[in-house]
Amino acid sequence: MNTLHERLGSALGAENVKTAPEDLAVYAFDAYTEGNLPAAVVIPSDARQVSAIVKIAREYGEPIIARGAGTGLCGGAVPIEGGGIVISFARMHRLLELDGANRRARVQPGLVNLQLSQQVKGAGLFYAPDPASQRSSTIGGNIATNAGGPHCLSYGTTVNHVLALEIVDENGDVFTTDLDDAGYDLTSVLVGSEGTLGIVTSAWVRLLRLPEATHVWLAAFADIESASETVSGIIGSGIVPTALEMMDAVIVKAVEQAFHAGYPTDAGAVLLIESAGFEEEMNAYESAIRSIAAQRGALSWRVAKTAAERDALWAGRKGAVGAIGRIAPNYYTQDVTVPRSVLPKALHAVEVAARENDLVVGNVFHAGDGNLHPLLVYDKRDRRQVGAVLATGDAILRAAVDLGGTISGEHGIGYEKREAMTRVYGTQDLAAMARVRDVFDPRRSLNPEKIFPSGTQCVEVKAPA
Ligand SMILES: Cc1cc2nc3c(=O)[nH]c(=O)nc-3n(C[C@H](O)[C@H](O)[C@H](O)COP(=O)(O)OP(=O)(O)OC[C@H]3O[C@@H](n4cnc5c(N)ncnc54)[C@H](O)[C@@H]3O)c2cc1C
């Protein structure tokens, strides 16, 4: 009998099957954690090859882990127990069809998010969900995690932009879903399922018309409380900017050192605010937002006057996580959501948790959505700091849940947060989710050890902790 590697090689070509430990090592990591080595990494070129891989994996009893760019922040794309076949979509990275008349595009899962917008720009269109990782994360990974981003405040998250999917199921069969079809909306069930219900091999996504005008403003505040109150004030007034992002003093200093975009390093917090639409509406938006900020004590108000200035401010925001490398060699990003009205309380809880554990924390987040991303900076060679990061991350999670929020805003559950699922879901809720999973993947061969609390078998689910 042929070995697993030989079977995969004959289905895909030996050059598209990686088995050397030094090649596999890369796939044991995502942006959150180190897992275990897979048995093989395969790099298919189309759905037919993905189907063949799944069928071979089934014969050998190997689980399947789909992988985009590996920028995930919850261990979703790494094998945990070891073994398993990682499917990399690095060769399935094309825009297949642009249907400008209907403002939609069919893409392969390995297409990098930003490249989609760049490729449809000539047609006056763009793809709205823009995770800060958009220079490297893929549409397949974004669909699997229901990625958000700064512009999701007004445009909605990935689930609002996926129109139809082509999926390879756990048997290796190919099926399609379409939002326009009657009956159950399986497209939306699959979005955010983190590779546990099926493998995305192509998607039709919604495109939006590029706005006539885009204005970006930067408001500086003495402290994070007045910036948070401004966020509540703006949304409470009925204005929904296209983006409303907050950065605290720790982040502003790191970003300014890295990008020199003109961020005020003496501010306690800044808000990056963007409005897009018709040019004639912009003055009214600016004066309304500016007066709300002034009433909450804004220290300064800066207008990005050119496209270059606007891009520089955004480069600072989107590069904030990388800039944090100037403070310490490692960081851990927590991802929780709270109702906007309790943002100041949640930020206070973050500060207290970090102080009690003697850690530096920087806050950079989608303030308009109440989606916090405290960045805990540390040195992983120091065991005390590692313990402190775990304790602080947990305290933030608990505080968010206590404030009526939830355990993930956009990064997903993956491996990292599966035990925390019991903090927000009861036994019945988890059992219902497990039944959905069992319909798609009764053998639990697609991305096992993810989302569900450990020890969950079929529809048996542990009681909440
Ligand atoms: C600096 C930085 C900033 C970030 N900012 C944001 C942000 O603003 N918003 C946000 O939402 N996230 C953000 N993230 C997290 C991450 O980028 C997103 O979760 C992203 O959607 C992951 O895409 P990926 O291609 O890297 O997927 P991977 O990390 O490779 O995989 C993520 C999950 O998707 C599954 N998957 C991948 N491809 C497929 C497929 N074809 N079919 C089925 N399942 C698949 C994997 O199994 C895994 O469970 C950030 C990460 C970093 C490092």
Side-chain angles (χ1 to χ4, degrees):
M1 175 155 160
N2 290 332
T3 65
L4 171 67
H5 296 161
E6 285 165 350
R7 290 289 306 285
L8 291 168
S10 56
L12 278 85
E15 68 283 11
N16 296 313
V17 181
K18 307 285 175 208
T19 54
E22 62 274 21
D23 290 332
L24 300 181
V26 180
Y27 298 88
F29 291 85
D30 68 358
Y32 162 69
T33 196
E34 177 180 0
N36 278 302
L37 287 191
V41 174
V42 288
I43 314 174
S45 61
D46 55 27
R48 195 181 44 81
Q49 290 194 346
V50 174
S51 161
I53 294 162
V54 173
K55 287 178 178 161
I56 294 168
R58 225 183 119 167
E59 271 179 52
Y60 286 82
E62 289 286 348
I64 293 281
I65 300 124
R67 183 180 177 98
T71 67
L73 286 166
C74 59
V78 297
I80 297 302
E81 294 289 333
I85 298 174
V86 168
I87 303 183
S88 159
F89 288 97
R91 287 204 302 148
M92 292 174 67
H93 58 79
R94 285 185 302 124
L95 168 62
L96 298 170
E97 257 178 275
L98 171 58
D99 175 4
N102 291 304
R103 286 198 225 146
R104 58 185 195 144
R106 190 162 71 89
V107 302
Q108 290 185 310
L111 179 63
V112 168
N113 175 301
L114 186 60
Q115 287 177 9
L116 172 55
S117 282
Q118 286 169 342
Q119 289 181 34
V120 299
K121 193 174 176 186
L125 299 169
F126 75 108
Y127 178 63
D130 61 337
S133 57
Q134 71 179 147
R135 284 178 185 280
S136 38
S137 68
T138 64
I139 299 292
N142 294 170
I143 291 172
T145 55
N146 187 20
H151 290 88
C152 293
L153 173 62
S154 65
Y155 297 123
T157 58
T158 301
V159 71
N160 302 112
H161 300 269
V162 178
L163 302 172
L165 290 171
E166 180 188 76
I167 297 287
V168 172
D169 72 8
E170 57 113 26
N171 292 315
D173 294 332
V174 182
F175 71 94
T176 56
T177 69
D178 193 320
L179 216 53
D180 285 342
D181 288 343
Y184 291 135
D185 174 6
L186 294 182
T187 308
S188 302
V189 171
L190 287 155
V191 175
S193 63
E194 300 189 32
T196 62
L197 302 184
I199 302 160
V200 179
T201 46
S202 74
W204 277 103
V205 294
R206 188 192 309 280
L207 301 173
L208 301 181
R209 202 186 291 283
L210 282 165
E212 179 188 284
T214 302
H215 286 216
V216 171
W217 308 293
L218 191 75
F221 299 84
D223 49 50
I224 209 154
E225 286 75 23
S226 37
S228 307
E229 281 158 17
T230 302
V231 171
S232 302
I234 294 169
I235 304 289
S237 75
I239 299 171
V240 183
T242 40
L244 186 47
E245 299 283 301
M246 196 190 299
M247 285 169 265
D248 72 5
V250 170
I251 299 291
V252 166
K253 286 194 185 83
V255 159
E256 190 50 27
Q257 275 179 33
F259 294 96
H260 313 293
Y263 279 89
T265 49
D266 53 349
V270 300
L271 285 180
L272 183 65
I273 308 161
E274 182 186 286
S275 264
F278 294 108
E279 185 62 56
E280 63 194 29
E281 304 167 324
M282 291 298 139
N283 280 346
Y285 276 130
E286 182 183 352
S287 61
I289 297 171
R290 188 173 181 169
S291 101
I292 292 168
Q295 284 158 21
R296 273 86 180 164
L299 303 173
S300 66
W301 179 264
R302 181 174 153 201
V303 180
K305 294 195 188 68
T306 60
E309 273 186 49
R310 201 175 67 204
D311 292 349
L313 287 176
W314 270 117
R317 162 60 188 93
K318 293 201 174 176
V321 176
I324 213 82
R326 289 167 184 267
I327 301 175
N330 303 99
Y331 70 87
Y332 166 77
T333 316
Q334 185 51 282
D335 165 44
V336 292
T337 299
V338 296
R340 270 185 302 261
S341 55
V342 297
L343 262 182
K345 281 188 187 158
L347 288 162
H348 180 67
V350 169
E351 191 203 319
V352 170
R355 196 179 339 113
E356 283 176 352
N357 289 291
D358 197 17
L359 275 184
V360 174
V361 62
N363 287 287
V364 48
F365 59 100
H366 312 313
D369 298 312
N371 184 192
L372 301 187
H373 288 322
L375 281 171
L376 306 173
V377 294
Y378 70 107
D379 183 341
K380 77 175 182 188
R381 293 165 298 190
D382 179 339
R383 289 171 68 93
R384 186 209 72 79
Q385 290 191 40
V386 173
V389 167
L390 292 173
T392 310
D394 191 60
I396 295 169
L397 203 72
R398 282 185 186 278
V401 173
D402 290 347
L403 288 166
T406 192
I407 58 173
S408 172
E410 57 184 16
H411 295 165
I413 302 301
Y415 175 67
E416 181 204 6
K417 288 190 172 164
R418 62 180 186 154
E419 306 302 346
M421 288 285 275
T422 57
R423 295 193 190 168
V424 280
Y425 294 111
T427 308
Q428 296 301 323
D429 310 322
L430 287 169
M433 286 187 222
R435 281 197 293 274
V436 172
R437 181 167 184 171
D438 287 339
V439 167
F440 284 90
D441 181 23
R443 274 178 294 270
R444 301 283 172 104
S445 55
L446 299 176
N447 215 3
E449 300 132 14
K450 309 293 162 61
I451 300 183
F452 290 91
S454 53
T456 307
Q457 295 297 323
C458 301
V459 294
E460 287 167 39
V461 174
K462 287 199 302 188

